[in-house]
């Protein structure tokens, strides 16, 4: 009876907090400020911490969210520990203007965005003599977004204290370079190459290029093969080119030289792993839903609402959320600039040759990788340790990684604490910062994982909707037996129940992020929750088919494709789900094609595959592209022979398709 009263009182506390929002300020419960009248009765630890987590989520926000849509605004910056990196830069004593960074891009909207930039010396100039006459008028908008990720203020920029120069090259010049006749390298990169040469000659140590070439991405001819002397000249001057890997999703073998002056960056998703669109690179960084500044000129000329914005942001930043390896690249370029700022504190680094400086920075960046992304805090601390060493040669990547494993280190020797026991907001944030540092720098190599502290931090991250931090920490627990994660599984059931109940499905545009985090949680913790998976399918079904979604979601077709690809990738959709989608009269051509791909590629096979494809054929949206994909699914042999015969006969009976498509179907029917 006593336990029941206390349990109900706690439920009331959570409900009241959600109803009152930020109109009240409550500290975490403790026996000094908030004595328990039922002293001597203890709730289960996992439930108590969940209550505390909810209090903090309401009155002590642990992440910066957009008030209008609840999006985690700076997840990408936090993923690479940019905020912690800034704290360490101050501790080490690295001053303003510590390094010079260049961006070769479409210019920068200086008039609108200068006040939102933090770079101590920001300049914008033409990249080549006949390029942009007015690079400060960024009509494309790409350069403004890219540059802000290096030198932006308010937490947007990765290297806000570095000197930044934007060299404007018009998109038309860059595109023309890819289509003119002549040398393959010249065809696709000559204006960009000229901008790189100019930036290097003017003393820039890191040069970001977020424009790529088709030949390079597909592997037909790598830039290094096209003009190796160009890269040699850059290395001789100590200029590191950081460039985007490309957005066509091509995964091919590429040069992977940790010592050259060329570093390709691929994109990761918020929850982890390569983004679906990303080509492979030599290093990775966040590239999905990244918050940047935007060009008001480009936005005005396009009159575009295609990109998501930070709704209700009191700062009124002209910002946007963008996708692409174009935005992964400047994140790594910013980390490189910070690393150089630290290395310059050592006379040994200053005395190195240009190629050796490139080699050291390149290897430090690669050694910094944590789970699936470059990590700024790790890179900075590796650089500081190199400064303190007496190495006469450039250490290997493995040796640089090992420099972080000293158990006597000032950070790693700190006593771990349970952050949810903090009694006020400031102490909680301080505790979490310390825990994040330990998680990034100390790892679990050679020592037993501090599982209670890590699990506690995951719960707090979940409660505050910081799924990106929770995912990073979960990935560090991959080698931990599932039996030791039971506490997390038990506590998180209540979390997941409430998490997917928030708001109408038509407005819940975090669904892809949520379901990808659930899939990661399920795989690492080893717990499948059927009721959660049904909630995911229910919300996904509504978003894919509801006409209300289109009114609220920019680029709705792309979002639907992303949502369906995520469902398939993580095996969260079943045959019944796809049948319901295909049966709906509002399912469009793109949606039907995603259904076909799922039926074709599912392993194990979906139940009722033939029935699903018959529903697709019967749909009023079954156009030429849909029929082509059905025929290809049969022609490719990915459908069992009997199923293929039934599908093409249903297609012939429907009378749909061009004469050429009907002929293909009849041929397949006779063969099968």
């Amino acid at each position: 009876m006593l336990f029941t009263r206390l349990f109900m009182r706690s439920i009331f506390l959570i409900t009241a907090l959600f109803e009152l929002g930020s109109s009240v300020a409550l500290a975490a419960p403790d026996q000094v400020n908030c004595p328990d009248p039922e002293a001597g009765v203890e709730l289960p630890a996992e439930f108590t911490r969940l209550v505390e987590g909810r209090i903090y989520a309401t009155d002590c926000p642990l992440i910066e969210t957009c008030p209008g849509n609840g999006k985690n605004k700076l997840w990408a910056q936090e993923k690479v520990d940019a905020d912690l990196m800034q704290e360490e830069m101050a501790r080490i004593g690295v001053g303003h203007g510590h390094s010079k960074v260049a961006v070769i891009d479409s210019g920068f909207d200086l008039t609108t965005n200068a006040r939102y930039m933090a770079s101590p010396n920001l300049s914008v100039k033409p990249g080549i003599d006949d390029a942009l006459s007015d690079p400060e008028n960024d009509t494309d908008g790409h350069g403004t977004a890219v540059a802000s990720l290096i030198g932006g203020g308010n937490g947007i920029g990765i290297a806000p204290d570095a000197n930044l120069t934007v060299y404007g090259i018009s998109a038309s010049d860059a595109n023309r370079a890819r289509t003119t006749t002549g040398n393959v390298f010249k065809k696709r990169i000559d204006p960009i190459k000229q901008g790189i040469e100019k930036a290097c000659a003017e003393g820039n140590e890191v040069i970001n290029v977020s424009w790529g070439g088709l030949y390079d991405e597909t592997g037909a001819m790598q830039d290094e093969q096209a003009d190796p002397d160009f890269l040699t000249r850059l290395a001789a001057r100590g200029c590191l080119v950081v460039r985007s890997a490309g957005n066509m999703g091509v995964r091919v073998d590429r040069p992977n030289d940790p010592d050259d002056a060329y570093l390709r960056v691929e994109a990761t998703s918020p929850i982890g792993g390569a983004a679906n669109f990303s080509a492979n690179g030599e290093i990775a960084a966040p590239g999905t839903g990244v918050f940047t500044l935007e060009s008001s000129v480009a936005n005005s000329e396009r009159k575009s609402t295609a990109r998501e914005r930070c709704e209700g942001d009191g700062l009124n930043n002209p910002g946007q959320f963008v996708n692409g390896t174009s935005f992964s690249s400047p994140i790594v370029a910013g980390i490189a600039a910070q690393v150089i700022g630290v290395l310059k504190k050592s006379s040994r680094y200053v005395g190195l040759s240009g190629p050796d400086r490139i080699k050291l920075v390149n290897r430090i960046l690669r050694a910094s990788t944590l789970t699936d992304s470059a990590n700024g805090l790790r890179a900075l601390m590796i650089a500081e340790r190199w400064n303190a060493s007496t190495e006469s040669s450039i250490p290997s990547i493995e040796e640089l990684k090992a420099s972080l494993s000293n158990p006597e280190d000032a950070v790693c020797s700190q006593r771990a604490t349970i952050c949810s026991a903090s009694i006020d907001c400031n102490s909680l944030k301080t505790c979490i910062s310390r825990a994040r540092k330990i998680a990034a720098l100390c790892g679990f190599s050679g020592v037993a994982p501090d599982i209670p502290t890590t699990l506690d931090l995951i719960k707090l991250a979940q409660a505050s909707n910081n799924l990106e931090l929770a995912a990073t920490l979960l990935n560090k627990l991959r080698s931990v037996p599932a039996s030791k994660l039971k506490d997390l599984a038990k506590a998180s059931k209540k979390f997941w129940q409430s998490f997917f109940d928030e708001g109408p499905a038509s407005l819940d545009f975090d669904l892809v992020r949520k379901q990808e985090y659930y899939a990661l949680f399920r795989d690492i913790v080893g717990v499948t929750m059927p009721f959660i998976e049904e909630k995911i399918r229910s919300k996904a079904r509504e978003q894919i088919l509801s006409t209300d979604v289109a009114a609220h979601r920019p680029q709705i077709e792309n979002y639907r494709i992303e949502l369906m690809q995520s469902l398939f990738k993580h095996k969260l959709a079943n045959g019944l789900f796809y049948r319901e989608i295909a049966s709906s009269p509002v399912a469009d051509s793109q949606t039907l094609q995603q259904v076909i791909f799922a039926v074709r590629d599912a392993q194990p096979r979906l139940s009722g595959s033939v029935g699903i494809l018959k529903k697709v054929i019967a749909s009023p949206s079954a156009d030429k592209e849909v029929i082509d994909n059905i025929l290809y699914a049969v022609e490719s042999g990915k459908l069992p022979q009997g199923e293929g015969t039934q599908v093409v006969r249903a297609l012939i009976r429907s009378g749909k398709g061009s004469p050429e498509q009907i002929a293909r179907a009849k041929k397949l029917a006779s063969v099968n």
Side-chain angles (χ1 to χ4, degrees), residues 268-276 288 467 471 474-475 478 496 499-500 510-523 536 562-570 572:
T268 65
S269 70
I271 303 307
N276 292 333
T288 305
L467 302 188
L474 270 176
N475 272 306
R478 281 190 179 275
W496 282 115
F499 200 53
F500 281 102
D510 257 358
L511 184 57
V512 172
R513 170 173 169 264
K514 290 178 180 179
Q515 68 191 27
E516 293 202 342
Y517 178 70
Y518 166 76
L520 177 72
F521 183 95
R522 176 194 65 193
D523 296 344
I536 291 172
E562 181 187 10
L563 178 56
M564 293 191 73
Q565 287 176 341
S566 176
L567 287 164
F568 177 78
K569 175 182 177 182
H570 299 295
L572 291 168

Side-chain angles (χ1 to χ4, degrees), residues 200-211:
C200 186
E202 293 183 358
N204 289 283
E205 298 145 296
V206 181
I207 303 168
N208 185 85
V209 179
S210 287
W211 277 340

Side-chain angles (χ1 to χ4, degrees), residues 306-321:
R307 292 190 175 119
E308 283 191 283
R309 287 169 175 77
C310 192
E311 299 171 11
D313 187 344
L315 296 173
N316 294 315
N317 285 1
Q320 60 189 343
F321 292 97

